[in-house]
Amino acid sequence: MRTGESVLGEADMSLIHALQILPRASWTQLSTVLAAGPDTLARRWEHLTANGYAWTSLLVARRGDDAALYAWIELECAADRTESTATALSGDPGTLGVHAVTGGADLVLLLIAPDLPALEAYVTGRVRRLPGVLRARTQVVTRLHNRPYRSRIEHLTPAQARLLTEVTALERRDGPRARVAPQVTDLDRRLVAELAGDARRTAAELARQCGTSESTVRRRLEVLTGGGALHHHCQPAPRFSGRPVWAMVTAQVAPLDEPATVAALTRVRRTQVITSVTGPHNLALAMWLGSVDELHEITAGLVRAAPALRITGTAFSLRTYKIGAQVLGPDGRRTHHVRPEA
């Protein structure tokens, strides 16, 4: 059964793709590529975001020299507690993904934490104490091979995408360059908290909210983004995007074959998140598919691309509660965001 028809229009998907490439571009910059007036683009984006069909967000990728720690957590829940558990965990700043799934677990979480002690404290002090949680299995991500929740929808023409990519390259060339990963300050954390729900908030708005100047806001965002401390992501609500089905694939590969295997997997279009993990298998991949029956095609393609790969498990999401900082309602639309911890 095919389920992947997008209910968003061509113009909507083109705008979302453009913002994936250049998240904070002005409407005037985008209008020259999308052949629509700035006011038209602004109104279209307001409609998409106000109704929960799309969003753009900014999250911390690293703090100075310390990369964030990620982990996958599988939960088994009492039969009548899965939804309440998922709802509770979706409100936590550290959960970047909350999915009710098929297979041996009831819920799968993607968690971000500062370090291993913080991860252990969250799992034992928060997750395991929730009513109805029967078992929690944690797999630490030892390497994140691409950024979570940042897959491109590939809707623009190659010429349009190239124009926007050239603007991005020019801005990076002209902007400040960080020779080392910048330290994240208290001001930076306040900025990220404001931008987690809407990464297109203006420098003037941020300056008023954070009690600083517009020039300081622009300078800090340029430094942090240029130094790899932050990453933007823009996406449509999956149910309306043409790729409504979230799937997880676990796999095993010999350590010596892992570098070549991961390199091959990153070239497979549907692999949105690729992680090396601890536990009974050493790779965990997440992706958005157009339909349930597409999984067979994808797993076969993964093995063709990386013959050393051995698939050990697959699961589908029955419902997605949270993506990044965004909480989704039962109808699949964004309802609100959760501010990251300062």
Side-chain angles (χ1 to χ4, degrees):
M1 179 179 67
R2 303 300 297 180
T3 60
E5 295 300 320
S6 174
V7 302
L8 299 178
E10 294 284 326
D12 298 325
M13 298 298 281
S14 293
L15 176 56
I16 293 167
H17 187 186
L19 289 173
Q20 288 180 334
I21 299 172
L22 205 57
R24 288 181 61 84
S26 70
W27 299 125
T28 300
Q29 283 178 307
L30 295 179
S31 68
T32 60
V33 175
L34 299 178
D39 291 344
T40 299
L41 295 177
R43 286 194 300 270
R44 184 173 294 139
W45 184 244
E46 172 62 23
H47 168 75
L48 292 173
T49 56
N51 290 282
Y53 291 117
W55 56 83
T56 183
S57 183
L58 184 148
L59 298 172
V60 173
R62 60 187 306 119
R63 294 175 172 85
D65 295 330
D66 298 324
L69 179 72
Y70 294 88
W72 294 102
I73 301 177
E74 296 182 346
L75 300 183
E76 293 181 26
C77 304
D80 60 343
R81 291 287 190 169
T82 299
E83 183 172 2
S84 61
T85 301
T87 300
L89 293 172
S90 295
D92 292 349
T95 52
L96 295 183
V98 180
H99 305 273
V101 295
T102 62
D106 296 302
L107 296 174
V108 169
L109 316 177
L110 177 60
L111 183 74
I112 184 171
D115 49 37
L116 281 171
L119 172 64
E120 190 275 338
Y122 179 75
V123 173
T124 59
R126 167 62 168 163
V127 176
R128 294 183 186 275
R129 293 187 180 184
L130 285 173
V133 172
L134 305 177
R135 187 173 293 108
R137 292 183 293 272
T138 302
Q139 291 182 287
V140 174
V141 173
T142 57
R143 183 164 297 178
L144 182 67
H145 298 287
N146 53 2
R147 289 179 175 179
Y149 307 115
R150 204 185 179 188
S151 64
R152 294 277 169 83
I153 59 176
E154 304 298 341
H155 205 80
L156 297 174
T157 66
Q160 288 174 311
R162 186 167 56 252
L163 282 172
L164 289 172
T165 302
E166 288 171 357
V167 173
T168 304
L170 184 62
E171 289 185 346
R172 288 176 178 168
R173 188 193 70 187
D174 294 340
R177 298 181 182 180
R179 295 184 179 179
V180 296
Q183 293 296 323
V184 178
T185 67
D186 289 340
L187 172 60
D188 299 334
R189 284 187 280 271
R190 296 201 302 275
L191 291 173
V192 171
E194 297 298 329
L195 291 166
D198 179 7
R200 290 187 57 79
R201 294 187 64 184
T202 67
E205 290 179 291
L206 295 169
R208 286 194 299 271
Q209 194 70 32
C210 298
T212 188
S213 68
E214 292 183 39
S215 60
T216 298
V217 168
R218 292 192 185 94
R219 183 171 62 253
R220 290 309 303 165
L221 291 179
E222 288 172 352
V223 168
L224 293 168
T225 302
L230 305 177
H231 67 81
H232 292 85
H233 68 96
C234 174
Q235 66 184 96
R239 187 174 296 183
F240 307 97
S241 70
R243 295 185 193 172
V245 179
W246 185 85
M248 169 169 270
V249 175
T250 57
Q252 185 71 29
V253 65
L256 291 179
D257 293 325
E258 186 171 339
T261 296
V262 168
L265 294 178
T266 58
R267 294 190 289 269
V268 178
R269 289 183 59 195
R270 288 293 188 266
T271 50
Q272 184 191 36
V273 181
I274 304 173
T275 57
S276 294
V277 295
T278 60
H281 46 262
N282 58 5
L283 289 176
L285 298 79
M287 60 201 73
W288 290 99
L289 307 178
S291 65
V292 168
D293 59 0
E294 193 177 323
L295 183 62
H296 176 75
E297 172 191 337
I298 290 297
T299 52
L302 294 175
V303 175
R304 282 195 300 270
L309 191 72
R310 182 171 64 86
I311 304 294
T312 59
T314 57
F316 288 116
S317 176
L318 300 172
R319 176 180 167 186
T320 295
Y321 289 81
K322 189 180 186 186
I323 302 174
Q326 317 304 317
V327 178
L328 307 185
D331 63 356
R333 294 192 291 173
R334 174 192 183 274
T335 60
H336 63 283
H337 80 282
V338 177
R339 289 171 66 93
E341 291 180 334

